[in-house]
Amino acid sequence: MAYYVVFDVGGTRTKHGLMDQDGKLVTSGDYQTNCRQLEPFLEAMAGVVREYQRKQDVRGIAISLPGFVDSESGFTEFAGAIIALNGQNVKTLLEEKTSLRVEVENDANCAALAEKYSGHAKECDSFICMTLGTGVGGGIFAGGQLVRGASFRGGEFGMMLTETDNGQFTTLNSSASTAGLIRSYKEKQGIPQSTQIDGQDIFEKAKHDPSIEKLVDQWYKRIAIGIYNVATVLNPEKILIGGGVSARPDLLSSIEKHLHTLPAWKNIQVKLETCYYLNQAGMKGALYHFLMKEGQLAPLKKPIH
């Protein structure tokens, strides 16, 4: 049995696991992401790989990354919050450190691949994955093909502009990500932005504090507006929501409540679901991408660039 080390790199924490060639997760863990320093970032990954190599014969490394990721070369022009990787090639750098094959793909594309191969989009030719985390990512399938864009910028939903209450403009990354919710909460409570806050704590406080409940409801509204916008452009069969927040049982109903207040939604509405793999979709899709590149998994239609 072949084993692979998989990483899903986020702007706050990096998830990792050991998976077999069938996609079964044998063991997993996570650690805080060093977003600013390249060598510590790489060494943290290499250390995880060495630990897994003590347990199994590791065949390769599959990585899910945010940003503009060239999935052929491994070059990352822009990596969102992971500024240490801007203009770097994590594939070649980590191959030098580990002597193992490394394959890299955008995180939302990984989520979309996981859902297309064995999740909630198996029967879909056209669908969208929207991932909510430190930023807002997007994976797009159209006509059975993964859409990466002409320069690997396809699906960067987080860069869409939305209007704030005071008439200014902001991005979905700032307003509709979980990091954006945490930032708004800190501002409202007068908490320094450097203070560590778990997003789950905000949802718990919202149950007992009407002002925090309103803050969370406004956040759901911004997500709904983002979903509305991508639905108007792409007319998919369904939209899947991923990221850690996708495990919340009230997520879909809270978003749909706001979607149904938008007058034109009834004309363009599409089915909304959470990702089958929830917050594990990135790791699962990274493995599928690796296996496709290695020739072990039947490729989908050629990606659209």
Side-chain angles (χ1 to χ4, degrees), residues 83-94:
I83 62 174
L85 292 186
N86 291 347
Q88 300 291 340
N89 191 314
V90 70
K91 171 179 166 64
T92 57
L93 291 169
L94 199 56

Side-chain angles (χ1 to χ4, degrees), residues 4-305:
Y4 303 85
V5 179
V6 293
F7 291 95
D8 185 6
V9 181
T12 304
R13 301 194 70 79
T14 294
K15 298 189 293 294
H16 58 82
L18 186 70
M19 283 187 176
D20 66 23
Q21 63 196 36
D22 296 324
K24 179 182 178 182
L25 186 63
V26 178
T27 184
S28 64
D30 70 341
Y31 59 85
Q32 186 171 345
T33 307
N34 190 323
C35 295
R36 296 183 173 275
Q37 298 171 295
L38 179 60
E39 186 56 31
F41 175 90
L42 294 170
E43 189 51 42
M45 282 189 145
V48 168
V49 172
R50 288 192 291 267
E51 283 298 313
Y52 285 134
Q53 285 179 310
R54 294 189 179 101
K55 301 172 184 177
Q56 297 290 350
D57 181 21
V58 174
R59 184 164 176 169
I61 302 167
I63 304 174
S64 161
L65 280 179
F68 308 153
V69 182
D70 185 330
S71 55
E72 295 300 320
S73 70
F75 179 76
T76 304
E77 182 178 341
F78 171 72
I82 325 298
I83 62 174
L85 292 186
N86 291 347
Q88 300 291 340
N89 191 314
V90 70
K91 171 179 166 64
T92 57
L93 291 169
L94 199 56
E95 284 179 342
E96 290 171 3
K97 276 186 173 291
T98 64
S99 299
L100 292 168
R101 179 172 180 167
V102 176
E103 296 296 345
V104 185
E105 176 60 284
N106 168 271
D107 53 1
N109 286 347
C110 284
L113 284 169
E115 295 301 311
K116 175 60 178 172
Y117 267 109
S118 59
H120 281 157
K122 285 187 294 184
E123 308 304 321
C124 295
D125 280 334
S126 299
F127 71 94
I128 290 167
C129 274
M130 180 180 282
T131 56
L132 305 175
T134 305
V136 178
I140 304 168
F141 265 80
Q145 298 174 282
L146 179 63
V147 180
R148 291 193 175 100
S151 51
F152 302 98
R153 289 162 168 77
E156 291 294 334
F157 302 150
M159 292 186 172
M160 289 193 299
L161 290 177
T162 59
E163 192 172 9
T164 61
D165 294 337
N166 60 7
Q168 300 299 308
F169 289 98
T170 187
T171 64
L172 278 188
N173 278 332
S174 295
S175 65
S177 64
T178 52
L181 173 63
I182 292 169
R183 184 166 51 252
S184 297
Y185 172 78
K186 289 176 181 177
E187 290 173 357
K188 183 175 183 61
Q189 299 297 100
I191 299 171
Q193 290 296 331
S194 58
T195 304
Q196 292 294 315
I197 296 286
D198 189 327
Q200 183 60 33
D201 294 339
I202 300 175
F203 291 109
E204 287 301 316
K205 285 182 170 59
K207 295 177 181 179
H208 312 289
D209 186 328
S211 66
I212 303 303
E213 182 184 23
K214 182 179 179 181
L215 183 77
V216 172
D217 189 59
Q218 290 172 332
W219 179 69
Y220 283 130
K221 180 179 180 180
R222 297 184 190 110
I223 297 170
I225 290 171
I227 288 171
Y228 172 89
N229 286 335
V230 298
T232 63
V233 174
L234 297 163
N235 186 220
E237 295 168 65
K238 64 172 64 173
I239 296 176
L240 304 175
I241 308 297
V245 73
S246 62
R248 292 195 58 78
D250 63 340
L251 176 72
L252 294 184
S253 60
S254 299
I255 294 171
E256 287 172 338
K257 177 187 74 172
H258 289 290
L259 283 169
H260 288 293
T261 67
L262 303 174
W265 178 245
K266 64 180 181 295
N267 298 320
I268 59 149
Q269 64 181 306
V270 299
K271 187 175 183 179
L272 200 64
E273 293 182 12
T274 55
C275 288
Y276 176 80
Y277 291 110
L278 299 175
N279 204 28
Q280 301 298 319
M283 289 200 297
K284 190 86 167 183
L287 176 66
Y288 285 152
H289 173 69
F290 186 103
L291 294 177
M292 279 193 295
K293 294 294 290 288
E294 200 179 40
Q296 288 199 69
L297 193 64
L300 298 164
K301 293 180 181 180
K302 186 177 179 181
I304 298 175
H305 292 295

